[in-house]
Amino acid sequence: MESRLFEILREIKSYMKFLILNVNLNIALCDFYGNIPFEASSYLSEFMVHQCLLCQKIKGKHLKSCLHQQAFVKRKILRNEKPFFGSCYAGVYEYIVPIVENGIYRGFISITGYLPPTPRVSVFNPELNLLQKSTEKTLRSEIPSEKFLQTVIAPLKNSLKLLTYYYNVNEIKPQLKDDYLHQLILQYIAENYLRPLTMPVIAEELHYSESYLSHIFREKQHQSIMQYVHALKIKYAKLLLRATNKNITEISELLGFQDSNYFSAVFKKSTGCSPRTFRNEQQCAAAYPSSPTINAPQTTDR
């Protein structure tokens, strides 16, 4: 990957983490797959999924409706490229920031997780209403001002536009079938990894055999599909353990694990310690930061 491109990606990832941890925003990059370089979308995949609990529960059974709503957002962006507030299919209030460069749509930034000013009730879908009520306490009632959101999002928006400068969608090279399928798997996992994913589920939804998907993914990624899924879950678990007061059972449920004991076992296998120990260590590190080391200045021969 070109060094300048990688530098921009690192800046984007670093600022995304800052907005999540320090500004306490529930933020996601939406619809960027295929509109930015494949290497870039893979590098930023952890941020390309809504981390709102209601969104995750809805996508488990109403994924097509969510994708239809995303297509509606794209059409609205193409009519008017300005940021706007609105409610998604699940009734979650969000702020949408379009990324459009030289008239070409690249995707959008979503800042979500808020209760709508006017409660939405679906008269056609009682199940959706129950899900809304069950997760209502996870949504925030205080919505930041648009001026504040525009200010904190501006560096991210500019970095994403700079990223697209290095990529022209009109010059996409033809992909081999295996490369396309690898990207399709990564995209599907990024959008669904907080669901209780299994190989049969992935194979059924992508319409390929389990063995073929496994072979292609391992050849390209050098790990199994479920290892990759668990790695994303553990990465998000670390974020939740550091930045929230959610208990282990709540985090386990949010990550799509059916059993908190199984989640703890997967976490320990990946990190070498239990979720509780990890949280305690992070809290101690924050309370008692280590003293900085001072290195002797280095000279460089010109």
Side-chain angles (χ1 to χ4, degrees):
M1 189 186 301
E2 185 183 335
S3 60
R4 179 56 178 148
L5 177 59
F6 186 65
E7 182 183 342
I8 296 170
L9 286 171
R10 284 192 300 180
E11 290 175 355
I12 292 173
K13 177 176 277 192
S14 177
Y15 195 62
M16 287 285 292
K17 289 182 177 179
F18 170 79
L19 292 175
I20 294 169
L21 293 172
N22 297 85
V23 189
N24 199 26
L25 294 181
N26 191 331
I27 186 170
L29 305 178
C30 302
D31 211 21
F32 281 89
Y33 277 107
N35 293 317
I36 60 175
F38 170 64
E39 297 89 346
S41 58
S42 179
Y43 185 81
L44 298 172
S45 60
E46 65 186 285
F47 304 111
M48 293 191 177
V49 59
H50 282 300
Q51 296 169 349
C52 171
L53 179 59
L54 176 56
C55 293
Q56 293 305 320
K57 286 183 175 292
I58 290 294
K59 283 187 176 181
K61 294 185 177 181
H62 304 278
L63 181 59
K64 289 183 179 179
S65 297
C66 288
L67 294 177
H68 178 76
Q69 181 79 3
Q70 188 164 292
F72 169 78
V73 170
K74 178 179 178 179
R75 290 195 297 271
K76 183 170 182 177
I77 288 173
L78 292 174
R79 290 195 302 269
N80 185 347
E81 299 176 10
K82 295 180 180 179
F84 60 91
F85 280 103
S87 291
C88 74
Y89 168 77
V92 180
Y93 204 58
E94 58 186 347
Y95 185 61
I96 302 297
V97 180
I99 303 297
V100 180
E101 186 69 10
N102 296 325
I104 300 174
Y105 170 81
R106 306 294 187 173
F108 60 91
I109 304 167
S110 170
I111 305 168
T112 188
Y114 303 103
L115 288 169
T118 303
R120 282 183 54 181
V121 178
S122 173
V123 295
F124 303 105
N125 197 332
E127 180 189 13
L128 179 60
N129 294 332
L130 288 174
L131 280 174
Q132 288 173 330
K133 289 183 178 180
S134 68
T135 55
E136 208 170 60
K137 62 181 180 181
T138 68
L139 301 178
R140 303 170 190 173
S141 57
E142 187 174 344
I143 303 170
S145 70
E146 185 167 8
K147 184 176 181 180
F148 169 79
L149 291 176
Q150 286 178 346
T151 301
V152 297
I153 290 301
L156 177 61
K157 179 180 179 180
N158 292 335
S159 293
L160 287 167
K161 285 195 170 187
L162 185 59
L163 175 66
T164 64
Y165 172 80
Y166 291 89
Y167 183 62
N168 187 339
V169 292
N170 297 317
E171 296 180 358
I172 299 176
K173 296 179 180 179
Q175 286 184 316
L176 298 174
K177 180 182 177 182
D178 289 356
D179 292 331
Y180 168 76
L181 184 54
H182 176 222
Q183 182 171 350
L184 185 65
I185 298 169
L186 288 174
Q187 177 178 348
Y188 177 80
I189 293 174
E191 294 174 348
N192 297 278
Y193 76 91
L194 295 183
R195 293 170 57 193
L197 288 183
T198 62
M199 277 306 302
V201 169
I202 296 172
E204 181 180 355
E205 296 207 22
L206 295 183
H207 307 292
Y208 286 91
S209 71
E210 292 181 44
S211 59
Y212 186 55
L213 289 178
S214 298
H215 169 72
I216 295 300
F217 193 84
R218 187 176 287 278
E219 187 178 72
K220 300 288 184 181
Q221 204 73 24
H222 308 296
Q223 62 181 322
S224 73
I225 290 178
M226 294 315 298
Q227 284 174 333
Y228 182 78
V229 170
H230 282 159
L232 288 179
K233 288 178 183 285
I234 295 306
K235 183 178 286 189
Y236 187 36
K238 289 179 179 179
L239 178 65
L240 292 173
L241 289 166
R242 282 195 299 261
T244 75
N245 294 320
K246 295 181 184 296
N247 61 42
I248 305 303
T249 301
E250 288 174 325
I251 292 175
S252 172
E253 180 183 352
L254 182 58
L255 293 170
F257 287 98
Q258 301 292 345
D259 183 350
S260 60
N261 291 328
Y262 178 57
F263 159 64
S264 296
V266 171
F267 189 93
K268 187 170 185 177
K269 183 177 180 180
S270 174
T271 65
C273 65
S274 69
R276 199 174 306 280
T277 300
F278 177 85
R279 170 174 274 169
N280 291 338
E281 289 177 350
Q282 292 295 308
Q283 290 173 344
C284 288
Y288 304 101
S290 58
S291 300
T293 57
I294 302 176
N295 297 321
Q298 297 180 349
T299 58
T300 304
D301 294 333
R302 295 289 181 182

